[in-house]
Amino acid sequence: MLLSLVLHMYSMCCVLPAAVLLGTAPTYVLAWGAWRLLSAFLPSRFYQAVDDRLYCIYQSMVLFFFENYTGVQILLYGDLPKNKENIIYLANHQSTVDWIVADILAIRQNALGHVRYVLKDGLKWLPLYGCYFSQMYLVIFPEGTRYNPELTKVISASQTFAAQEGLPVLKHVLTPRIKATHVAFESMKNYLDAIYDVTVAFEGTVDDKGQRKEAPSMAEFLCKECPKIHIHIDRIDKKDVPEEQVYMKRWLHERFEIKDKLLIEFYDSLDPERRNKFPGESVNSKLSLKKTLPSFLILSGLTAGMLMTEAGRKLYVKTWIYGTLIGCLWFPLYSSSFPLDHRQGCCSGLAQGLTGKRCVASQRWSRCGVDPVKLS
């Protein structure tokens, strides 16, 4: 009886947040759709400002669950970001939670509404950034897919490729791909302040034999299976980044060599005192409820109010049904032109709201009249 109760409470740890996050998605979609119609004849800057604010509200609620609710401890190392900047965020990729980690840093710079993502090696597709250049927090995972220590064939193939290219072989990260980083930097360099080289490690991902395990999924994270996230940031001024692709390729690999050394220290250090942390001083960064709770209350209240009336319930259900159908129809058509990594599930129906992936080369850009174009 007691065991059953414990298991039930454990499962509810992630069911409740998922229900709220998905349950408020139609409200967010309706709010965005209404604003899109109202702003059709307004200058684009008005649409962008409110659109970013709506996105910020939803993502703040996401962080309410992923940070305040779970009680995860965020430990920051290196160059701690303070002021809002136009940046390219380069990070190692190991879990679906990596999207949330980018938001965790962005909200601490009051830049959450400006976060955009590039998927899968840049996909060889990037938009003409157009109206979004004014404020940009562009997230790129140069490895192109998630690092999973259990997928030995993927790791072996990555290491073989590095050896064939005459590059140092990496252990805890995959060989980075240059395309997305180069095209993004080339497109943004006149607006860019810096590049953030971010290395992320999830504590508790080592087994009894000292071997690294797969990083926690979103569900596991919401079930409070990750006590700490360690985030190391190197801020690199744009003038220190080589512009030519051949030199940038080497530079990017060198940055991943640094990441690999940090992760070797974190996971494999012979000194137990040096494991489960990055070198240098850490700052325990706690997110205030003032930044997340209002968004949770606003979206939950609006959703509850809608469900209290018959007309509201009908609109809510129709949004769920048609939103999901449009997402299911749109994604295969879109991915036939833009070869996404389907495991990353870029923008599929209403579930997009849970992960918060505002993808570069997606419908997110077409909303402001910017069409994705192939950049070769």
mmCIF file of all heavy atoms in Angstrom, residues 34-58:
data_model
loop_
_atom_site.group_PDB
_atom_site.id
_atom_site.type_symbol
_atom_site.label_atom_id
_atom_site.label_comp_id
_atom_site.label_asym_id
_atom_site.label_seq_id
_atom_site.Cartn_x
_atom_site.Cartn_y
_atom_site.Cartn_z
ATOM 1 N N ALA A 34 -4.578 35.692 -31.904
ATOM 2 C CA ALA A 34 -5.348 36.927 -31.794
ATOM 3 C C ALA A 34 -4.454 38.147 -32.007
ATOM 4 O O ALA A 34 -4.816 39.098 -32.721
ATOM 5 C CB ALA A 34 -6.018 36.995 -30.425
ATOM 6 N N TRP A 35 -3.264 38.108 -31.392
ATOM 7 C CA TRP A 35 -2.352 39.228 -31.567
ATOM 8 C C TRP A 35 -1.854 39.325 -32.998
ATOM 9 O O TRP A 35 -1.687 40.415 -33.549
ATOM 10 C CB TRP A 35 -1.166 39.107 -30.612
ATOM 11 C CG TRP A 35 -0.096 40.126 -30.909
ATOM 12 C CD1 TRP A 35 1.185 39.898 -31.284
ATOM 13 C CD2 TRP A 35 -0.238 41.554 -30.872
ATOM 14 N NE1 TRP A 35 1.854 41.079 -31.486
ATOM 15 C CE2 TRP A 35 1.008 42.112 -31.232
ATOM 16 C CE3 TRP A 35 -1.303 42.408 -30.554
ATOM 17 C CZ2 TRP A 35 1.215 43.491 -31.298
ATOM 18 C CZ3 TRP A 35 -1.095 43.783 -30.622
ATOM 19 C CH2 TRP A 35 0.153 44.302 -30.984
ATOM 20 N N ARG A 36 -1.652 38.181 -33.649
ATOM 21 C CA ARG A 36 -1.196 38.196 -35.047
ATOM 22 C C ARG A 36 -2.216 38.886 -35.934
ATOM 23 O O ARG A 36 -1.852 39.670 -36.832
ATOM 24 C CB ARG A 36 -0.959 36.761 -35.538
ATOM 25 C CG ARG A 36 -0.232 36.719 -36.888
ATOM 26 C CD ARG A 36 1.201 37.198 -36.691
ATOM 27 N NE ARG A 36 1.922 37.291 -37.954
ATOM 28 C CZ ARG A 36 2.093 38.411 -38.649
ATOM 29 N NH1 ARG A 36 1.561 39.537 -38.218
ATOM 30 N NH2 ARG A 36 2.797 38.433 -39.750
ATOM 31 N N LEU A 37 -3.495 38.617 -35.690
ATOM 32 C CA LEU A 37 -4.538 39.261 -36.486
ATOM 33 C C LEU A 37 -4.625 40.749 -36.183
ATOM 34 O O LEU A 37 -4.730 41.585 -37.089
ATOM 35 C CB LEU A 37 -5.887 38.585 -36.217
ATOM 36 C CG LEU A 37 -6.038 37.151 -36.736
ATOM 37 C CD1 LEU A 37 -7.358 36.552 -36.261
ATOM 38 C CD2 LEU A 37 -5.963 37.118 -38.258
ATOM 39 N N LEU A 38 -4.568 41.085 -34.908
ATOM 40 C CA LEU A 38 -4.685 42.490 -34.512
ATOM 41 C C LEU A 38 -3.510 43.322 -35.013
ATOM 42 O O LEU A 38 -3.656 44.515 -35.309
ATOM 43 C CB LEU A 38 -4.767 42.588 -32.982
ATOM 44 C CG LEU A 38 -6.070 42.111 -32.335
ATOM 45 C CD1 LEU A 38 -5.929 42.074 -30.818
ATOM 46 C CD2 LEU A 38 -7.232 43.034 -32.737
ATOM 47 N N SER A 39 -2.350 42.692 -35.112
ATOM 48 C CA SER A 39 -1.141 43.443 -35.479
ATOM 49 C C SER A 39 -0.852 43.422 -36.972
ATOM 50 O O SER A 39 0.183 43.934 -37.405
ATOM 51 C CB SER A 39 0.062 42.859 -34.733
ATOM 52 O OG SER A 39 0.296 41.516 -35.137
ATOM 53 N N ALA A 40 -1.765 42.844 -37.763
ATOM 54 C CA ALA A 40 -1.507 42.676 -39.191
ATOM 55 C C ALA A 40 -1.232 44.006 -39.889
ATOM 56 O O ALA A 40 -0.463 44.061 -40.856
ATOM 57 C CB ALA A 40 -2.682 41.964 -39.852
ATOM 58 N N PHE A 41 -1.865 45.069 -39.405
ATOM 59 C CA PHE A 41 -1.719 46.361 -40.063
ATOM 60 C C PHE A 41 -0.846 47.328 -39.251
ATOM 61 O O PHE A 41 -0.818 48.520 -39.517
ATOM 62 C CB PHE A 41 -3.101 46.973 -40.307
ATOM 63 C CG PHE A 41 -3.999 46.094 -41.129
ATOM 64 C CD1 PHE A 41 -5.006 45.341 -40.531
ATOM 65 C CD2 PHE A 41 -3.808 45.982 -42.500
ATOM 66 C CE1 PHE A 41 -5.819 44.521 -41.287
ATOM 67 C CE2 PHE A 41 -4.616 45.158 -43.262
ATOM 68 C CZ PHE A 41 -5.622 44.421 -42.665
ATOM 69 N N LEU A 42 -0.161 46.795 -38.249
ATOM 70 C CA LEU A 42 0.721 47.609 -37.431
ATOM 71 C C LEU A 42 2.166 47.436 -37.884
ATOM 72 O O LEU A 42 2.511 46.435 -38.527
ATOM 73 C CB LEU A 42 0.600 47.200 -35.959
ATOM 74 C CG LEU A 42 -0.760 47.426 -35.295
ATOM 75 C CD1 LEU A 42 -0.727 46.870 -33.868
ATOM 76 C CD2 LEU A 42 -1.129 48.900 -35.271
ATOM 77 N N PRO A 43 3.040 48.375 -37.568
ATOM 78 C CA PRO A 43 4.472 48.199 -37.881
ATOM 79 C C PRO A 43 5.008 46.923 -37.241
ATOM 80 O O PRO A 43 4.587 46.533 -36.149
ATOM 81 C CB PRO A 43 5.117 49.451 -37.275
ATOM 82 C CG PRO A 43 4.024 50.464 -37.241
ATOM 83 C CD PRO A 43 2.750 49.693 -36.975
ATOM 84 N N SER A 44 5.944 46.286 -37.918
ATOM 85 C CA SER A 44 6.425 44.978 -37.472
ATOM 86 C C SER A 44 7.016 45.011 -36.072
ATOM 87 O O SER A 44 6.959 44.020 -35.345
ATOM 88 C CB SER A 44 7.461 44.434 -38.458
ATOM 89 O OG SER A 44 8.585 45.302 -38.528
ATOM 90 N N ARG A 45 7.598 46.160 -35.684
ATOM 91 C CA ARG A 45 8.232 46.212 -34.363
ATOM 92 C C ARG A 45 7.217 46.017 -33.238
ATOM 93 O O ARG A 45 7.553 45.480 -32.183
ATOM 94 C CB ARG A 45 8.987 47.529 -34.184
ATOM 95 C CG ARG A 45 8.126 48.777 -34.140
ATOM 96 C CD ARG A 45 9.008 50.016 -33.930
ATOM 97 N NE ARG A 45 8.223 51.240 -33.837
ATOM 98 C CZ ARG A 45 7.804 51.935 -34.874
ATOM 99 N NH1 ARG A 45 8.110 51.516 -36.094
ATOM 100 N NH2 ARG A 45 7.091 53.034 -34.715
ATOM 101 N N PHE A 46 5.958 46.433 -33.461
ATOM 102 C CA PHE A 46 4.932 46.226 -32.438
ATOM 103 C C PHE A 46 4.595 44.744 -32.310
ATOM 104 O O PHE A 46 4.441 44.214 -31.208
ATOM 105 C CB PHE A 46 3.673 47.026 -32.770
ATOM 106 C CG PHE A 46 3.832 48.503 -32.634
ATOM 107 C CD1 PHE A 46 3.894 49.311 -33.750
ATOM 108 C CD2 PHE A 46 3.940 49.094 -31.386
ATOM 109 C CE1 PHE A 46 4.060 50.684 -33.635
ATOM 110 C CE2 PHE A 46 4.104 50.460 -31.247
ATOM 111 C CZ PHE A 46 4.164 51.259 -32.381
ATOM 112 N N TYR A 47 4.471 44.086 -33.449
ATOM 113 C CA TYR A 47 4.200 42.650 -33.423
ATOM 114 C C TYR A 47 5.335 41.907 -32.736
ATOM 115 O O TYR A 47 5.112 41.048 -31.881
ATOM 116 C CB TYR A 47 4.013 42.114 -34.843
ATOM 117 C CG TYR A 47 4.098 40.605 -34.882
ATOM 118 C CD1 TYR A 47 3.083 39.823 -34.329
ATOM 119 C CD2 TYR A 47 5.205 39.969 -35.424
ATOM 120 C CE1 TYR A 47 3.171 38.439 -34.325
ATOM 121 C CE2 TYR A 47 5.302 38.591 -35.426
ATOM 122 C CZ TYR A 47 4.283 37.829 -34.878
ATOM 123 O OH TYR A 47 4.385 36.470 -34.868
ATOM 124 N N GLN A 48 6.579 42.244 -33.098
ATOM 125 C CA GLN A 48 7.739 41.538 -32.535
ATOM 126 C C GLN A 48 7.802 41.687 -31.024
ATOM 127 O O GLN A 48 8.084 40.730 -30.307
ATOM 128 C CB GLN A 48 9.019 42.086 -33.161
ATOM 129 C CG GLN A 48 9.144 41.830 -34.647
ATOM 130 C CD GLN A 48 10.070 42.836 -35.300
ATOM 131 O OE1 GLN A 48 10.970 43.368 -34.677
ATOM 132 N NE2 GLN A 48 9.834 43.112 -36.566
ATOM 133 N N ALA A 49 7.539 42.911 -30.553
ATOM 134 C CA ALA A 49 7.652 43.177 -29.118
ATOM 135 C C ALA A 49 6.650 42.346 -28.325
ATOM 136 O O ALA A 49 6.999 41.713 -27.313
ATOM 137 C CB ALA A 49 7.449 44.664 -28.840
ATOM 138 N N VAL A 50 5.397 42.319 -28.776
ATOM 139 C CA VAL A 50 4.367 41.568 -28.047
ATOM 140 C C VAL A 50 4.565 40.074 -28.254
ATOM 141 O O VAL A 50 4.365 39.269 -27.333
ATOM 142 C CB VAL A 50 2.957 41.998 -28.491
ATOM 143 C CG1 VAL A 50 1.889 41.161 -27.795
ATOM 144 C CG2 VAL A 50 2.748 43.479 -28.181
ATOM 145 N N ASP A 51 4.973 39.673 -29.458
ATOM 146 C CA ASP A 51 5.231 38.257 -29.730
ATOM 147 C C ASP A 51 6.318 37.728 -28.800
ATOM 148 O O ASP A 51 6.189 36.644 -28.203
ATOM 149 C CB ASP A 51 5.652 38.101 -31.190
ATOM 150 C CG ASP A 51 5.937 36.654 -31.551
ATOM 151 O OD1 ASP A 51 5.136 35.779 -31.180
ATOM 152 O OD2 ASP A 51 6.967 36.399 -32.200
ATOM 153 N N ASP A 52 7.397 38.482 -28.659
ATOM 154 C CA ASP A 52 8.470 38.083 -27.739
ATOM 155 C C ASP A 52 7.959 38.022 -26.304
ATOM 156 O O ASP A 52 8.353 37.145 -25.529
ATOM 157 C CB ASP A 52 9.641 39.055 -27.832
ATOM 158 C CG ASP A 52 10.500 38.832 -29.066
ATOM 159 O OD1 ASP A 52 10.313 37.797 -29.737
ATOM 160 O OD2 ASP A 52 11.354 39.683 -29.363
ATOM 161 N N ARG A 53 7.094 38.965 -25.947
ATOM 162 C CA ARG A 53 6.566 38.978 -24.582
ATOM 163 C C ARG A 53 5.678 37.759 -24.324
ATOM 164 O O ARG A 53 5.754 37.135 -23.250
ATOM 165 C CB ARG A 53 5.777 40.270 -24.338
ATOM 166 C CG ARG A 53 5.298 40.434 -22.905
ATOM 167 C CD ARG A 53 6.469 40.386 -21.946
ATOM 168 N NE ARG A 53 6.031 40.280 -20.561
ATOM 169 C CZ ARG A 53 6.795 39.864 -19.568
ATOM 170 N NH1 ARG A 53 8.045 39.507 -19.798
ATOM 171 N NH2 ARG A 53 6.332 39.802 -18.343
ATOM 172 N N LEU A 54 4.840 37.405 -25.300
ATOM 173 C CA LEU A 54 3.993 36.217 -25.144
ATOM 174 C C LEU A 54 4.843 34.964 -24.994
ATOM 175 O O LEU A 54 4.569 34.103 -24.150
ATOM 176 C CB LEU A 54 3.055 36.081 -26.348
ATOM 177 C CG LEU A 54 1.896 37.071 -26.443
ATOM 178 C CD1 LEU A 54 1.184 36.930 -27.781
ATOM 179 C CD2 LEU A 54 0.910 36.866 -25.293
ATOM 180 N N TYR A 55 5.870 34.875 -25.828
ATOM 181 C CA TYR A 55 6.769 33.716 -25.745
ATOM 182 C C TYR A 55 7.464 33.674 -24.394
ATOM 183 O O TYR A 55 7.629 32.616 -23.785
ATOM 184 C CB TYR A 55 7.798 33.789 -26.873
ATOM 185 C CG TYR A 55 8.793 32.664 -26.859
ATOM 186 C CD1 TYR A 55 8.443 31.396 -27.294
ATOM 187 C CD2 TYR A 55 10.098 32.865 -26.407
ATOM 188 C CE1 TYR A 55 9.365 30.353 -27.281
ATOM 189 C CE2 TYR A 55 11.019 31.834 -26.387
ATOM 190 C CZ TYR A 55 10.646 30.586 -26.833
ATOM 191 O OH TYR A 55 11.559 29.569 -26.805
ATOM 192 N N CYS A 56 7.880 34.849 -23.920
ATOM 193 C CA CYS A 56 8.555 34.937 -22.629
ATOM 194 C C CYS A 56 7.639 34.468 -21.502
ATOM 195 O O CYS A 56 8.081 33.782 -20.577
ATOM 196 C CB CYS A 56 9.007 36.374 -22.389
ATOM 197 S SG CYS A 56 9.927 36.603 -20.857
ATOM 198 N N ILE A 57 6.358 34.821 -21.582
ATOM 199 C CA ILE A 57 5.401 34.408 -20.553
ATOM 200 C C ILE A 57 5.289 32.890 -20.510
ATOM 201 O O ILE A 57 5.340 32.269 -19.442
ATOM 202 C CB ILE A 57 4.019 35.052 -20.802
ATOM 203 C CG1 ILE A 57 4.074 36.554 -20.506
ATOM 204 C CG2 ILE A 57 2.936 34.384 -19.950
ATOM 205 C CD1 ILE A 57 2.813 37.308 -20.882
ATOM 206 N N TYR A 58 5.143 32.284 -21.692
ATOM 207 C CA TYR A 58 4.998 30.822 -21.708
ATOM 208 C C TYR A 58 6.272 30.138 -21.218
ATOM 209 O O TYR A 58 6.235 29.217 -20.402
ATOM 210 C CB TYR A 58 4.643 30.323 -23.112
ATOM 211 C CG TYR A 58 4.267 28.862 -23.082
ATOM 212 C CD1 TYR A 58 2.962 28.480 -22.792
ATOM 213 C CD2 TYR A 58 5.218 27.870 -23.271
ATOM 214 C CE1 TYR A 58 2.621 27.137 -22.714
ATOM 215 C CE2 TYR A 58 4.888 26.531 -23.184
ATOM 216 C CZ TYR A 58 3.587 26.172 -22.913
ATOM 217 O OH TYR A 58 3.257 24.855 -22.820
#
